[in-house]
Amino acid sequence: MRAFSPYPWTDWSQSWKEAKQGSLRGQLDEIVQQLTDAAPLVARLVEEAEEQARIRQQEWKEQMRRLEERERVRRQNEAREQARADLLSAIKHWDVVVY
């Protein structure tokens, strides 16, 4: 018989084997006690997994924020360069018209 944690990112399991046919029946009280004793450990593993998920999500949000900031700066620089090119083009055009 095998018990395991059904929660994602938690790695806990326990196995019991029959030494002979029907021997697990005699171990049921002990198995129940071991499962009961394991509940706080599984709960802690779940809490740790949830905290790690929160940390990963915060790191992802921060990474997205940095990417968005870089993109904003890139677009701003691109707009500045385009405005400069447009201004230089207008100056050249004026120069042609005036002379």
Side-chain angles (χ1 to χ4, degrees):
M1 181 167 76
R2 182 178 170 144
F4 60 91
S5 172
Y7 302 102
W9 303 295
T10 58
D11 185 24
W12 179 87
S13 66
Q14 179 107 21
S15 297
W16 298 269
K17 292 185 179 183
E18 288 184 315
K20 61 182 180 176
Q21 183 86 17
S23 66
L24 275 180
R25 186 174 298 230
Q27 299 177 41
L28 286 179
D29 288 339
E30 179 184 338
I31 291 170
V32 168
Q33 185 60 50
Q34 289 177 3
L35 291 172
T36 302
D37 291 347
L41 170 64
V42 173
R44 184 176 54 78
L45 291 172
V46 169
E47 288 175 6
E48 289 172 1
E50 288 172 347
E51 178 62 22
Q52 289 300 315
R54 279 191 291 277
I55 290 170
R56 284 190 306 273
Q57 183 178 28
Q58 287 174 342
E59 289 171 348
W60 180 82
K61 284 181 179 180
E62 178 61 22
Q63 184 179 15
M64 290 298 104
R65 187 197 63 75
R66 285 190 301 253
L67 286 171
E68 288 170 358
E69 177 64 16
R70 275 185 276 198
E71 180 61 18
R72 185 190 64 77
V73 168
R74 186 195 65 75
R75 284 191 314 265
Q76 187 178 37
N77 289 337
E78 190 175 271
R80 185 177 299 120
E81 287 300 316
Q82 185 61 48
R84 183 174 186 270
D86 291 346
L87 179 60
L88 289 174
S89 177
I91 290 170
K92 285 181 183 180
H93 180 72
W94 291 337
D95 196 29
V96 170
V97 170
V98 172
Y99 295 109

